Amino acid sequence: MTRTSAHDLITEVLDPGSYISWDTPPEYGDISDDYRATLERAREKSGVDESVITGEGTIDGRRVATILSEFSFLGGSIGAATARRIIDGIHRATAQQLPLLISPSSGGTRMQEGTPAFALMVSITTAVYRHKDQHLPFLVYLRNPTTGGVMASWGSAGHFTFAEPDALLGFLGPRVVELTTGTPMPEGVQTGENLARCGVIDGVVSPKDLRASVKKINEVLLSTVPSQQPALPEVQPHEPESVWDAIQRTRRTDRPGVQDIVAKLRAKLIYLSGSGDGRRSPAVTVALAQLDGRPVVLIGQDRHQQPPLGEHPLGTEALRMARRGIALAHQLQLPLVSIIDTPGAELSQYAEEHGMAGSIARTLGELVELDVPTVSIILGQGCGGGALAMLPSDRVLAASNSWLSPLPPEGASAIIYRDTEHAPQMMEEQDVSASALLKAGIVDAIIPEIGDAADEPEAFIDRVLATVSHTLWELDHNPQRVGREKRFRHYEKLATLQ
């Protein structure tokens, strides 16, 4: 396995000659002669004075604070002096309003200092959350190896978390696990590649490519709001011939979906690979994106990944990913764009036993009380609780042929008529169409389709993005319905109109 040194990372990531050290000589107080000799040998071996170095530099001219472990100094272990240096560095980054790149490579607590040093992981985490309280980007780059208390505290607290290739990462190292439990850890479990597949981290990036990744995140996050309101597309909505005709259009396999939106934004888009706590589902896409120069968090249901078109139902893992996106929007104070396009949430024993109903309720609740501007788009199918979970927003938009229903049409017919033949009639009667939703106050505006979005996919997606951008600007400058309390009042008022 490779080991990238702290200075190697400075050379690879920061602009040449831009690094400025923030470190002052470490103070150890009253320690034993043996420990003092151990520290001296570590300094000679590693070329640094402690297991972490802190400072700042620039990436493409933008200032970034860095806190970097040096594994060759006593295995990157964290003692009291190390913790003080980390905390001081985080506080300085916070005071100067700098994004923070933190890169651990450590086995955890320094054994010469024991439990007092172990407890300082809490102190470091406190400093991290003060930085997050300022809505400043916090990026973690896990290097080989990172285990123990470091991995279990500030090493797992990033807004975005990447790892170097082939890095050993885990709660405890494999040797300690085997000696403690008597059972070896299966090969390949404690790797960055596996953790990315499981949705624990956001990806594996080589040190040479980390600069481009950090640069892209900074470019997206530090972009600015448009100075003028983006124009709405000058296209009149075309009413579908019937509600059933609209529903059939949204079921076309070639109807554009969330991946078409992602493709338009790809140049300035950063994926989140999972929930951050070991759950992942292709049924939902979560990303940080730039829309018309504005940073947003995007969460989108991917109908093409869900049955009957795909193999990944909209389950609890998908909604947990959506909630990570909601949390990120709050932490970074970014607008949230929620895309609804689903034939319905997962219906299975697994879904019931993993709390499907509660997962919908939590997603719905977190979205309705979010403290940033929010826009939801019913892009096509809006079926059942899976759609409802991502509906509440400051502004709800709907494509001309989109619809919102408590049940699949055939299911509604089965309940009332004990057959599926009455599905078209049921949909007419239940006011599921975009125009009916607009009339009821559930939807605020309709995004036009020229007949059928599948027949004009690129123009339709451009229209969607232009309408969202226009709406976000409107929320910035006319905030009568922005924020938790105003959103609550709006949805409470809906009940009096029904």
Side-chain angles (χ1 to χ4, degrees):
M1 290 186 181
T2 59
R3 289 218 173 102
T4 304
S5 74
H7 285 104
D8 287 343
L9 208 60
I10 289 170
T11 301
E12 295 285 3
V13 176
L14 300 180
D15 294 337
S18 69
Y19 182 73
I20 301 169
S21 174
W22 289 351
D23 294 336
T24 57
E27 297 181 6
Y28 297 98
D30 187 15
I31 58 174
S32 69
D33 291 340
D34 285 347
Y35 184 22
R36 196 173 297 280
T38 298
L39 291 169
E40 181 57 36
R41 288 193 297 272
R43 283 191 285 272
E44 292 174 0
K45 176 185 176 183
S46 65
V48 295
D49 65 352
E50 248 299 341
S51 63
V52 163
I53 63 173
T54 69
E56 67 167 281
T58 60
I59 298 176
D60 205 31
R62 293 181 184 267
R63 292 176 69 202
V64 176
T66 61
I67 296 177
L68 312 174
S69 291
E70 179 49 69
F71 190 81
S72 63
F73 189 106
L74 298 182
S77 58
I78 308 299
T82 333
R84 285 192 294 270
R85 177 173 285 183
I86 294 169
I87 292 166
D88 288 346
I90 297 172
H91 285 168
R92 185 165 175 175
T94 306
Q96 297 187 29
Q97 296 287 287
L98 296 179
L100 178 57
L101 171 62
I102 197 163
S103 181
S105 176
S106 171
T109 305
R110 189 166 297 170
M111 290 297 99
Q112 292 90 339
E113 298 189 32
T115 298
F118 175 60
L120 289 174
M121 300 300 178
V122 180
S123 304
I124 297 170
T125 302
T126 301
V128 167
Y129 277 83
R130 287 196 183 279
H131 188 266
K132 286 185 167 185
D133 284 347
Q134 296 297 309
H135 314 299
L136 297 166
F138 180 69
L139 288 70
V140 174
Y141 185 61
L142 301 168
R143 287 165 29 242
N144 177 53
T146 302
T147 60
V150 171
M151 186 68 174
S153 56
W154 47 281
S156 294
H159 292 125
F160 307 94
T161 303
F162 301 99
E164 71 174 335
D166 300 318
L168 169 64
L169 309 173
F171 175 46
L172 286 179
R175 179 171 56 85
V176 179
V177 170
E178 184 171 1
L179 290 174
T180 302
T181 67
T183 303
M185 182 69 71
E187 189 174 349
V189 170
Q190 293 181 308
T191 65
E193 288 78 2
N194 185 52
L195 296 185
R197 282 191 294 270
C198 295
V200 175
I201 66 173
D202 293 308
V204 174
V205 178
S206 73
K208 291 183 182 298
D209 293 331
L210 181 61
R211 173 184 169 85
S213 297
V214 178
K215 177 184 173 182
K216 189 174 184 180
I217 290 171
N218 278 342
E219 285 177 346
V220 173
L221 281 176
L222 302 177
S223 54
T224 56
V225 175
S227 58
Q228 294 184 336
Q229 184 171 24
L232 277 175
E234 295 183 3
V235 177
Q236 292 299 316
H238 286 205
E239 279 291 319
E241 295 176 10
S242 68
V243 175
W244 190 244
D245 179 57
I247 289 172
Q248 294 301 98
R249 289 176 176 180
T250 65
R251 289 175 166 178
R252 282 181 58 169
T253 58
D254 57 348
R255 182 178 176 85
V258 68
Q259 290 308 318
D260 297 275
I261 291 175
V262 164
K264 283 281 185 180
L265 302 175
R266 192 176 303 281
K268 295 290 178 68
L269 182 136
I270 300 102
Y271 281 104
L272 278 66
S273 78
S275 64
D277 58 4
R279 283 169 280 191
R280 188 173 184 275
S281 171
V284 164
T285 292
V286 184
L288 179 72
Q290 189 183 103
L291 176 59
D292 261 348
R294 175 200 300 272
V296 300
V297 173
L298 175 73
I299 56 174
Q301 296 170 343
D302 191 342
R303 177 177 65 94
H304 293 89
Q305 291 285 347
Q306 301 170 48
L309 301 181
E311 301 177 353
H312 305 281
L314 186 73
T316 54
E317 294 88 352
L319 292 175
R320 180 63 188 86
M321 283 182 62
R323 293 200 298 278
R324 182 185 174 197
I326 294 169
L328 187 66
H330 161 69
Q331 290 166 5
L332 294 174
Q333 286 294 283
L334 299 178
L336 182 81
V337 177
S338 170
I339 299 169
I340 298 161
D341 196 8
T342 179
E346 181 177 359
L347 304 174
S348 68
Q349 177 183 343
Y350 177 90
E352 293 293 347
E353 292 177 351
H354 286 77
M356 188 74 241
S359 189
I360 290 170
R362 285 187 289 277
T363 308
L364 175 66
E366 289 177 22
L367 187 53
V368 80
E369 71 169 8
L370 188 59
D371 59 347
V372 298
T374 56
V375 176
S376 292
I377 308 108
I378 309 175
L379 199 65
Q381 298 182 42
C383 189
L388 191 70
M390 289 171 52
L391 177 70
S393 293
D394 297 318
R395 289 288 186 275
V396 180
L397 312 174
S400 298
N401 289 310
S402 68
W403 51 281
L404 180 68
S405 171
L407 286 171
E410 293 78 8
S413 176
I415 288 175
I416 301 299
Y417 295 102
R418 297 182 182 275
D419 62 36
T420 60
E421 284 72 29
H422 289 80
Q425 175 187 331
M426 289 290 298
M427 294 300 95
E428 290 283 357
E429 294 171 351
Q430 290 195 333
D431 293 332
V432 306
S433 69
S435 57
L437 298 172
L438 181 66
K439 184 177 179 181
I442 297 167
V443 160
D444 297 287
I446 292 178
I447 302 171
E449 298 180 46
I450 307 303
D452 189 334
D455 296 328
E456 47 140 16
E458 188 167 348
F460 173 68
I461 294 300
D462 286 341
R463 213 173 293 134
V464 169
L465 294 175
T467 306
V468 172
S469 187
H470 175 94
T471 304
L472 287 171
W473 194 96
E474 191 175 62
L475 291 175
D476 285 339
H477 294 81
N478 301 287
Q480 291 87 354
R481 230 185 76 188
V482 177
R484 180 180 187 272
E485 185 56 36
K486 291 171 183 175
R487 205 176 297 133
F488 277 22
R489 289 177 185 172
H490 168 72
Y491 283 103
E492 287 166 351
K493 184 180 178 182
L494 274 185
T496 68
L497 301 176
Q498 304 300 318

